[in-house]
Amino acid sequence: MTTEAQPLPEDTGRKTRVLVCTNGSAGSGKSTTAAALAYAAAKKKKKVCVIGFDKQRDISRLLGYDDPDGDEDLPTLYDVVDKICSLAEAVVPALDSKTKEVIPNLWVVLESKKLERLDFKLAGETAREMWMFHLIGELRGRFDLIVFDCPGDVKLATIGAIIAGDEVVGCTKSQEKEARGLTELEDKIAEVARAYGHTGMPTGIDWVVITEGVEHNSQGKVYKDMENQLREAYGDIVLETVSGDVKVPEAYTAGQPVTLFNPNCRAAKSYTKIGRQMSLYR
């Protein structure tokens, strides 16, 4: 596979929305959400690029690249940080893990396990929190949608993504740990905005996606109560709840976005509706 199979889109000056899928807690469904929304938008003919920030490399795997570090010909985000290539040069076509065919309208910037060294790598940089802000201009105007998939913390990678982003998507489950992670995220965004708000960065959480909810109390009253608390706390920015669906872990095992793996399952339909609620497509 080469990038000639699906060349990088030209900069037409199109309006680009940059979504940041994040939470202050790990295991909140960020990669699942990023991949599902990205594929759903690409299916609707939108030009989409996903950028992975996590050393675990889950989003890379879901978009067709099981081990980016294992192929020296594949550029990664760490290569961009290391100034081996530009961000635009690191964009590669997303692949269907099952067929190995290019997924139309969908691209990805691959992750590396070396991203665990990011804080150390950028330690000497001035205003290092703005590292992605200085890079993302290479891709704005080329894509309708850019989706950042952040690691399960609010350290330098996530902070850089938020400063470079347009909208924060807080991913959570109807459980105490992940819900508390949203509160920690809000506090960090407010702190960062005091220093970098002049960039036009988000100043709070724009959307909340409950990635593993329950439909009624009989499935777990504690979980349903937590979902109700989230809706009370965040109001209209809480989108369609993605009910627990065995197809989500099956899609992860298959290395595919759930919206590709089984577009008719409950989770895929929920993510497709979420994309409409966010006006990513009609």
Side-chain angles (χ1 to χ4, degrees):
M1 191 283 304
T2 65
T3 54
E4 284 73 22
Q6 182 166 246
L8 183 71
E10 295 285 337
D11 183 352
T12 61
R14 74 179 78 214
K15 181 175 175 56
T16 302
R17 290 175 66 180
V18 182
L19 304 183
V20 185
C21 293
T22 185
N23 186 306
S25 173
S28 56
K30 299 178 296 298
S31 298
T32 296
T33 298
L37 291 178
Y39 179 80
K43 192 73 174 175
K44 296 290 186 179
K45 310 300 184 185
K46 300 298 182 181
K47 302 293 186 186
V48 185
C49 181
V50 182
I51 301 180
F53 289 73
D54 197 343
K55 65 181 181 181
Q56 299 297 332
R57 296 160 289 162
D58 284 341
I59 199 70
S60 301
R61 183 172 182 276
L62 290 171
L63 296 180
Y65 298 85
D66 192 56
D67 181 20
D69 291 307
D71 185 341
E72 61 182 17
D73 293 326
L74 282 176
T76 69
L77 183 58
Y78 193 81
D79 292 328
V80 178
V81 176
D82 212 19
K83 297 182 172 58
I84 294 173
C85 64
S86 69
L87 183 61
E89 290 169 340
V91 177
V92 297
L95 303 177
D96 182 327
S97 295
K98 182 177 180 180
T99 65
K100 302 304 179 185
E101 294 178 353
V102 168
I103 300 175
N105 303 312
L106 186 55
W107 290 259
V108 59
V109 175
L110 301 171
E111 299 149 302
S112 168
K113 55 190 174 185
K114 296 176 185 176
L115 286 169
E116 65 183 353
R117 310 176 197 164
L118 183 65
D119 287 50
F120 175 78
K121 184 70 178 178
L122 297 176
E125 299 286 335
T126 301
R128 63 181 188 149
E129 291 83 2
M130 295 185 67
W131 69 281
M132 180 51 71
F133 179 83
H134 293 308
L135 295 171
I136 197 62
E138 296 180 34
L139 302 186
R140 286 188 182 272
R142 297 177 183 270
F143 297 97
D144 298 293
L145 180 66
I146 296 173
V147 184
F148 291 155
D149 179 41
C150 296
D153 55 48
V154 195
K155 296 181 181 178
L156 185 57
T158 300
I159 292 170
I162 292 170
I163 293 174
D166 298 324
E167 303 164 47
V168 173
V169 183
C171 302
T172 185
K173 295 180 180 177
S174 51
Q175 298 178 31
E176 179 69 25
K177 180 174 75 75
E178 288 79 13
R180 194 165 57 243
L182 288 185
T183 302
E184 295 170 2
L185 175 63
E186 284 186 295
D187 292 343
K188 180 57 73 172
I189 293 173
E191 176 188 332
V192 174
R194 284 193 288 272
Y196 297 103
H198 63 279
T199 64
M201 63 167 282
T203 56
I205 296 174
D206 297 277
W207 310 100
V208 173
V209 176
I210 301 173
T211 63
E212 194 175 304
V214 298
E215 294 182 356
H216 39 70
N217 286 344
S218 63
Q219 293 178 298
K221 185 177 185 305
V222 172
Y223 300 137
K224 191 63 178 177
D225 286 348
M226 178 54 67
E227 179 182 333
N228 291 337
Q229 290 178 37
L230 286 165
R231 291 190 174 278
E232 182 177 344
Y234 292 100
D236 292 341
I237 68 170
V238 184
L239 304 173
E240 171 89 357
T241 296
V242 182
S243 300
D245 189 336
V246 69
K247 296 302 180 184
V248 172
E250 287 180 3
Y252 178 83
T253 300
Q256 294 180 318
V258 68
T259 40
L260 167 61
F261 177 74
N262 190 327
N264 294 315
C265 72
R266 288 184 304 166
K269 288 181 177 179
S270 292
Y271 277 118
T272 300
K273 181 176 180 180
I274 286 168
R276 291 196 189 96
Q277 289 176 315
M278 298 173 71
S279 299
L280 302 182
Y281 45 77
R282 295 182 180 179

